[in-house]
Amino acid sequence: MSRTATPYETGDVVATADGRGVVLATKVEEFSFPQEAEGGDQHADVEASPELPAFVIALEEGGSAVYREKALETTTFGETQLPEVPDERLTDVVDEEIGSEGDLPEGMGRREALEYWASVGSWKACVADRENELGERTAEAQCTAIKDLLAGTERWHEHF
């Protein structure tokens, strides 16, 4: 499968109508995105294609949601004023309690996790970055905990 060129890649810092965030995943085929629901495990089906990709964004204020390209604008963590973008989110923001926080690196909060993810860009790159120091299993656990924190859910594992 050839890689599809998209305007945003994992790790890019972007502005949304919901605030600043980092691209967690770029999807070019239909997928399910976790949604909060009373009494059950709910997902929203999101259409995506190479021509119309969907972007999972970890939001600076917490949780994550899915957006189209037109609802994103490149930014940095240092910018104080965010560009205006259309308020066109494809899913609700998911921000659930997660149980893997004990696996986070010491002293890592949401802001540090966002900045770290922006520097490595993906779960695989995170593992590669940490496994020499920690070993593969511990690196995988830490990277999963970081992505759980950023996604605002542990239900991303099979979906993005």
Side-chain angles (χ1 to χ4, degrees):
M1 183 174 139
S2 65
R3 182 168 164 80
T4 303
T6 61
Y8 302 104
E9 301 298 332
T10 57
D12 287 351
V13 181
V14 295
T16 74
D18 299 306
R20 186 180 350 264
V22 173
V23 178
L24 279 182
T26 301
K27 301 297 288 181
V28 294
E29 57 187 37
E30 187 175 327
F31 70 106
S32 293
F33 186 76
Q35 296 289 262
E36 295 181 50
E38 282 190 37
D41 186 20
Q42 186 176 343
H43 285 79
D45 291 329
V46 178
E47 290 186 28
S49 68
E51 298 78 30
L52 193 62
F55 302 90
V56 178
I57 308 299
L59 298 166
E60 189 171 37
E61 296 300 316
S64 64
V66 182
Y67 302 82
R68 292 275 186 233
E69 173 184 352
K70 67 183 176 182
L72 303 173
E73 188 71 41
T74 299
T75 190
T76 66
F77 286 116
E79 287 186 44
T80 55
Q81 178 118 5
L82 293 178
E84 285 191 37
V85 291
D87 188 5
E88 296 186 33
R89 186 178 347 110
L90 297 175
T91 64
D92 292 336
V93 174
V94 62
D95 194 9
E96 305 166 335
E97 278 191 39
I98 57 171
S100 60
E101 289 180 341
D103 291 325
L104 287 170
E106 188 175 327
M108 182 177 276
R110 183 164 194 83
R111 178 58 179 232
E112 293 83 9
L114 284 163
E115 290 175 355
Y116 177 71
W117 209 262
S119 73
V120 295
S122 72
W123 184 87
K124 285 183 180 182
C126 175
V127 171
D129 182 56
R130 299 178 105 45
E131 71 182 332
N132 284 341
E133 176 186 345
L134 304 171
E136 185 177 5
R137 291 181 84 100
T138 302
E140 287 176 351
Q142 276 195 358
C143 294
T144 298
I146 294 167
K147 192 167 180 179
D148 289 350
L149 173 68
L150 295 177
T153 182
E154 294 174 338
R155 296 185 291 144
W156 62 267
H157 299 197
E158 297 173 13
H159 302 281
F160 60 92

